[in-house]
Amino acid sequence: MKIGTVQLASDAMLAPIAGFTDVGLRDVARRYGAALTYTEMISCKGMIYGSEKTKELLATTDIETPVAVQIFGCDPQIMAKAVAMPEMRKFDIIDINMGCPVPKVVGNGEGSALINTPKLAMEVVKAVISATDGRPVTVKFRKGFTKDQDTASDFAKYMQDAGAAAICVHGRTREQYYMGKSDWDCIANVVHSVEIPVIANGDVVDVDSYNAIKLHTKADGVMIARGALGNPQIFKEILTATTGKKSYYKEVDCVRDILRQIQVLKEHYCDRYIYSSMKKQVCNYLRGVSGGKAIKEKVCHVTSVEEMVEIIQGLKGLI
Ligand SMILES: Cc1cc2nc3c(=O)[nH]c(=O)nc-3n(C[C@H](O)[C@H](O)[C@H](O)COP(=O)(O)O)c2cc1C
């Protein structure tokens, strides 16, 4: 699959998931064959006001090539200014978040609120394109805003007209948040409505659902979010089953993966951030493991990275 001038090695990508898809998890997902990874959502206001917390989220590793940054905001000028900053130069693709349902974001007219203001959304896309020296600009949005609303095909056309190089459609509305089913019919309609590549998103958790969403929607690519949490090997399974290509990691080894995540995070974050953030990631890896509850308890009480590493090393053969 190609996004603008950027060629991807396959068509299955890791979705941005705020609070989860940090540089550590993304590194491991790439080693298993994710074709593209995105940073967590980056506030354009945070960037231009020099927020260190925002800039910390821009960390990447060498294996993330190509790599996308996901930005959010609703002021075209601020967004253009943010993407023109030197820290943004390393990103091959700029993705604009128009799907976030969180009240604080929506209340500012950002994230999924932009679905309701397509003219402004177009201005945002045009402004970002004007500041990115020809690099592709993409948009990730939802089926609609209110409960059963489906505005996706109309919105997709607006995004195409504004110059988006590709779009990703999550088949749930803002009101649904993450509940109910992703509407793959809606995504299929979008694929019919535009000429730019469409990435389908929602409810892909294994090779079967990956194949099913591709067949149902005829989308060019597939984005996986919750199905990859504690399960980054999903990308190896998809790559092997669909292309026969080998991923960098040939064997699945969750202990190695967690330790790799920690090692990557150590290059960018303080001890406290790492063990706090890794607690939820480790719990995801332990889902369905017999005796996992007791281990989760232990992990949730650690107060240093060293302590966490010791517990993880003891899990060899268990996960
Ligand atoms: C906790 C959480 C955080 C998320 N953060 C983001 C985000 O920062 N940017 C974004 O575009 N989507 C975000 N999403 C949405 C996912 O990328 C994806 O669209 C959604 O979960 C549907 O895909 P899935 O069914 O594969 O999980 C988030 C989802 C969850 C559950």
Side-chain angles (χ1 to χ4, degrees):
M1 164 178 193
K2 220 171 168 188
I3 297 180
T5 50
V6 178
Q7 180 69 51
L8 305 185
S10 66
D11 64 5
M13 44 206 101
L14 177 66
I17 314 176
F20 288 91
T21 51
D22 56 36
V23 62
L25 177 59
R26 298 200 314 266
D27 181 272
V28 172
R30 293 302 282 251
R31 283 163 195 268
Y32 277 124
L36 185 65
T37 36
Y38 297 72
T39 65
E40 297 170 73
M41 54 191 262
I42 304 291
S43 161
C44 288
K45 278 189 209 143
M47 284 299 295
I48 67 162
Y49 295 130
S51 157
E52 283 310 313
K53 274 214 162 119
T54 302
K55 289 189 179 174
E56 271 183 2
L57 296 174
L58 295 173
T60 57
T61 64
D62 290 346
I63 200 162
E64 283 195 283
T65 310
V67 64
V69 62
Q70 188 187 62
I71 57 169
F72 75 98
C74 67
D75 181 321
Q77 278 177 353
I78 289 179
M79 296 183 76
K81 232 176 167 178
V83 293
M85 290 173 76
E87 293 91 331
M88 292 285 186
R89 275 188 209 134
K90 66 177 169 178
F91 294 101
D92 304 286
I93 295 172
I94 318 291
D95 182 63
I96 307 174
N97 180 319
M98 298 196 189
C100 179
V102 173
K104 210 173 115 191
V105 172
V106 172
N108 286 335
E110 302 165 337
S112 59
L114 284 161
I115 294 171
N116 288 333
T117 53
K119 293 273 149 63
L120 176 59
M122 286 180 83
E123 291 313 308
V124 164
V125 173
K126 286 178 189 169
V128 172
I129 290 172
S130 73
T132 47
D133 337 307
R135 283 172 294 161
V137 172
T138 59
V139 180
K140 181 168 180 283
F141 60 93
R142 286 178 177 250
K143 174 184 170 184
F145 195 84
T146 55
K147 194 165 167 276
D148 298 314
Q149 188 185 38
D150 182 353
T151 52
S153 289
D154 288 340
F155 194 75
K157 285 184 216 153
Y158 282 120
M159 297 302 97
Q160 176 173 265
D161 291 348
I167 48 176
C168 171
V169 187
H170 174 196
R172 290 187 181 84
T173 62
R174 186 265 173 169
E175 267 186 26
Q176 282 183 288
Y177 270 64
Y178 303 105
M179 286 168 305
K181 277 181 120 182
S182 176
D183 182 349
W184 293 357
D185 286 339
C186 152
I187 302 173
N189 290 337
V190 172
V191 172
H192 273 295
S193 307
V194 293
E195 272 136 47
I196 52 175
V198 177
I199 301 160
N201 171 235
D203 300 337
V204 175
V205 293
D206 52 22
V207 175
D208 286 348
S209 45
Y210 162 86
N211 282 329
I213 201 171
K214 283 217 71 173
L215 191 69
H216 195 103
T217 65
K218 307 277 187 293
D220 304 88
V222 175
M223 195 183 269
I224 302 166
R226 289 166 295 176
L229 296 179
N231 184 34
Q233 64 265 28
I234 189 173
F235 293 104
K236 170 179 150 48
E237 288 154 13
I238 291 172
L239 197 68
T240 311
T242 59
T243 68
K245 283 187 200 164
K246 292 235 179 325
S247 54
Y248 179 92
Y249 275 163
K250 304 217 169 19
E251 306 295 331
V252 175
D253 180 346
C254 296
V255 169
R256 174 204 59 201
D257 298 343
I258 298 170
L259 295 177
R260 172 69 192 164
Q261 282 186 226
I262 292 174
Q263 184 197 336
V264 171
L265 293 178
K266 272 180 159 175
E267 287 165 29
H268 303 282
Y269 301 105
C270 69
D271 213 67
R272 194 189 171 88
Y273 173 89
I274 298 168
Y275 71 74
S276 308
S277 167
M278 284 304 296
K279 284 179 185 177
K280 55 183 193 278
Q281 307 260 6
V282 174
C283 288
N284 283 329
Y285 278 100
L286 286 165
R287 249 189 334 235
V289 169
S290 95
K293 202 170 164 213
I295 309 164
K296 280 184 196 170
E297 281 274 292
K298 253 167 97 179
V299 167
C300 287
H301 286 96
V302 302
T303 52
S304 73
V305 172
E306 253 187 334
E307 215 184 317
M308 178 171 271
V309 166
E310 213 170 284
I311 297 173
I312 303 305
Q313 277 166 341
L315 297 179
K316 278 199 175 117
L318 232 184
I319 57 172

